[in-house]
Amino acid sequence: MSAPDPAVSSDAAELAQFGYKQALERRTGRFASFAVAFAFVSIATGIFTTYGSVLNSSGPVGIWTWPIAVIGQLAVAFALGALAARIPVTGYHYQWMSRLANPVLGWILGWISFTFLAIVVVAVDYTIASTIMPVLLNYEATATITWLVTALVLTGQALLVAFSTPWAERVNNSLVTLELVGMVALTLLLFVVAAIRGEVDVANLFSKGAVATEGFWSFGDLTSAGPWMLGFLLGAFTIVGFESAANLAEETNDPERVVPRAMWQAVLASGVLGFLFIVAVTLAAGDPVALAESGTPIADVIENTLGSAVATLLLIMVVLAIFACGLVIMITGVRLTWAMSRDERFPGWQQWGQISNRFRTPFKATVLYFVLAQLILAIFSQSETALFTLFSAATLLPAVMYASTVVLYLIKRKSLPESDKFNLGAWEIPVLVVAVVWLAFELALFRDSSFKEAWAYVIVMWVIGACYLGYLLATRGRHGLTMPGMESIDAELEHEAEKG
């Protein structure tokens, strides 16, 4: 029998300080952690899905919102990374809020995170069935066919998550590598081929397309955002989920060091590569007004510039990137369900908090998450605006999660013990200022009336969560929701002071 890995033993000992025993296998290394964060962001998925919406709402000049969104989300990633280094426990936002504020607020944010993860996997996988496969295989995407294809994609992801974490990780690592190489190659080819053929139109970068000029740059009014402001949704939808690496903290080797770096590196890589790609696409777009009418504008530009064979390869790459994105989302949602169930505060926790002895995965939590995703899909499948509603909710919820956690970090940062593996140092205040300003601005965009159905989903899920939280408080009392090991960081610091 081989000797135990000292590093793994050390990670397990640090986990014990938070009141938990090592239950999941620590297999995730540096690239795998980065791949989890990058796959969730998935620039191929986000840009392919939302570029057409930006052309219609903001015109091609709307792409200049992207660098601002990247800077804002990078600041958020640094702030959350600082928390992940101090609280390296599966459950991410739920754990952070529970231990920094109190378990009641932690439960609320955990439920919000769960409602986000439940809907975003459907939104992402629905894209494959509704906009890509019909073009790739040349068939009409009826509501029923789209429903069935999405259901099959969800099933494939669930099988990987349920039966083998190592295989799920291998698949994700391979698909992320493919996406990185493919996006770099496509970007370079677009720049070079369009330039050689004389099809580069610099004026596109500053064109408003068919969008009216009047009030274009305005912030908007109480119920609507200005045209250019809506362009921020391109970055706001795409550059999210990077903190998913933190939700695998108990499966990651040296998580205090690895996870924070994976988060900000994924945002930076996605931001730079994504912006170069959308600039290349916009330069080669030809007539942006005509392009805005297409359901697959990215694929159209690739086909017109690089030919149908490359366009087909692009579509295949996007399908694989979306599959990886959905796979990581499902892994994240299952881990959150398991983490909250382990603390006996998720509906039906007795079942979902178990680890399968045979597969070493949260098998039953995976089944629950899969069934719920299929129910959400069934509810939205016959709606003509299903894709927009799903993506709207999947953009709104992360903004709420990030704002809550960053504000909490801002309030509690001085009481946190320093991490010798990752900390912001003198940059802490500037980073937090940028993050708070960005998140306040992003949340203000969702006052637009086009998000009313997304808000309806959020409100319904919050009501369900509030009812269950009320049940927990009524049956256990507030003190019955304390976290294992310690109620908060403050309690731990007091305990350490007493020992000293």
Side-chain angles (χ1 to χ4, degrees):
M1 181 180 293
S2 60
D5 187 336
V8 173
S9 299
S10 175
D11 289 337
E14 291 178 353
L15 176 62
Q17 296 176 7
F18 292 88
Y20 300 119
K21 293 181 180 180
Q22 186 71 48
L24 298 165
E25 296 180 337
R26 289 194 184 269
R27 297 174 175 270
T28 305
R30 291 184 179 181
F31 181 76
S33 184
F34 167 82
V36 165
F38 187 87
F40 201 130
V41 174
S42 188
I43 50 175
T45 302
I47 293 174
F48 189 94
T49 304
T50 55
Y51 183 76
S53 297
V54 171
L55 290 181
N56 283 288
S57 68
S58 314
V61 74
I63 68 170
W64 292 102
T65 59
W66 179 278
I68 300 173
V70 170
I71 293 171
Q73 294 296 71
L74 189 59
V76 174
F78 278 123
L80 298 187
L83 272 174
R86 291 160 173 79
I87 308 176
V89 183
T90 295
Y92 70 155
H93 291 279
Y94 157 70
Q95 287 282 355
W96 297 335
M97 184 68 78
S98 293
R99 296 177 185 275
L100 291 177
N102 61 70
V104 174
L105 288 176
W107 193 94
I108 292 171
L109 197 59
W111 182 256
I112 292 172
S113 302
F114 176 77
T115 60
F116 161 63
L117 294 166
I119 197 169
V120 71
V121 70
V122 180
V124 165
D125 289 348
Y126 197 85
T127 305
I128 294 179
S130 63
T131 62
I132 304 177
M133 295 302 290
V135 176
L136 193 60
L137 300 180
N138 193 27
Y139 68 84
E140 182 181 355
T142 64
T144 301
I145 292 175
T146 301
W147 181 0
L148 291 174
V149 172
T150 307
L152 286 173
V153 175
L154 284 167
T155 302
Q157 292 161 341
L159 290 173
L160 276 170
V161 175
F163 291 117
S164 177
T165 298
W167 269 106
E169 195 170 88
R170 289 188 193 106
V171 168
N172 185 57
N173 290 350
S174 300
L175 296 183
V176 164
T177 301
L178 174 65
E179 182 176 359
L180 281 166
V181 173
M183 292 297 289
V184 169
L186 275 173
T187 302
L188 290 175
L189 282 171
L190 278 172
F191 275 124
V192 172
V193 174
I196 291 174
R197 295 172 59 177
E199 296 177 353
V200 171
D201 190 348
V202 177
N204 277 353
L205 297 178
F206 308 99
S207 169
K208 298 181 180 67
V211 181
T213 301
E214 184 179 355
F216 182 84
W217 304 103
S218 71
F219 188 68
D221 54 34
L222 289 176
T223 58
S224 64
W228 194 69
M229 298 299 166
L230 289 174
F232 281 94
L233 297 176
L234 174 63
F237 169 74
T238 303
I239 310 171
V240 296
F242 44 82
E243 78 279 15
S244 57
N247 208 21
L248 274 69
E250 294 177 35
E251 297 164 79
T252 304
N253 294 314
D254 195 12
E256 298 95 327
R257 189 187 310 277
V258 170
V259 168
R261 287 166 175 78
M263 289 162 59
W264 73 259
Q265 288 169 358
V267 173
L268 185 61
S270 300
V272 173
L273 182 54
F275 186 61
L276 291 174
F277 179 69
I278 58 177
V279 166
V281 168
T282 305
L283 286 171
D287 181 3
V289 176
L291 185 65
E293 298 176 0
S294 170
T296 54
I298 298 288
D300 290 354
V301 173
I302 299 295
E303 181 172 0
N304 292 337
T305 307
L306 304 178
S308 59
V310 176
T312 300
L313 290 175
L314 165 71
L315 291 175
I316 293 172
M317 184 192 75
V318 171
V319 168
L320 295 175
I322 292 175
F323 184 87
C325 181
L327 178 65
V328 166
I329 294 169
M330 189 171 289
I331 290 173
T332 307
V334 167
R335 266 46 178 188
L336 177 62
T337 304
W338 173 78
M340 294 180 70
S341 297
R342 174 176 59 178
D343 292 340
E344 302 182 0
R345 58 196 56 177
F346 194 89
W349 57 268
Q350 296 90 340
Q351 297 296 320
W352 325 130
Q354 300 175 18
I355 297 294
S356 168
N357 292 327
R358 180 178 180 183
F359 304 115
R360 304 307 305 164
T361 65
F363 185 89
K364 291 184 177 180
T366 305
V367 173
L368 169 69
Y369 184 87
F370 170 72
V371 171
L372 180 60
Q374 293 286 7
L375 287 174
I376 292 173
L377 172 63
I379 291 170
F380 284 99
S381 62
Q382 301 301 314
S383 169
E384 294 182 359
T385 60
L387 190 59
F388 179 79
T389 302
L390 289 166
F391 276 118
S392 297
T395 309
L396 167 61
L397 285 165
V400 174
M401 292 156 52
Y402 294 155
S404 302
T405 307
V406 169
V407 169
L408 177 67
Y409 178 73
L410 177 64
I411 295 170
K412 303 285 290 189
R413 69 188 190 284
K414 291 184 179 180
S415 65
L416 287 171
E418 286 294 326
S419 169
D420 59 354
K421 295 183 178 180
F422 185 88
N423 64 78
L424 300 176
W427 288 97
E428 184 175 65
I429 295 301
V431 165
L432 287 172
V433 168
V434 171
V436 169
V437 170
W438 157 247
L439 290 170
F441 170 75
E442 183 184 1
L443 284 171
L445 296 176
F446 292 102
R447 73 190 188 282
D448 193 272
S449 58
S450 61
F451 295 103
K452 61 182 180 181
E453 290 188 16
W455 277 110
Y457 167 79
V458 172
I459 291 170
V460 168
M461 294 302 290
W462 280 359
V463 168
I464 295 173
C467 291
Y468 185 73
L469 177 59
Y471 164 77
L472 289 179
L473 292 172
T475 55
R476 301 182 188 178
R478 184 183 179 92
H479 295 292
L481 296 180
T482 55
M483 300 297 290
M486 59 180 177
E487 181 174 350
S488 66
I489 290 291
D490 289 341
E492 180 70 3
L493 291 175
E494 291 172 7
H495 178 64
E496 292 296 326
E498 290 172 1
K499 289 198 307 183

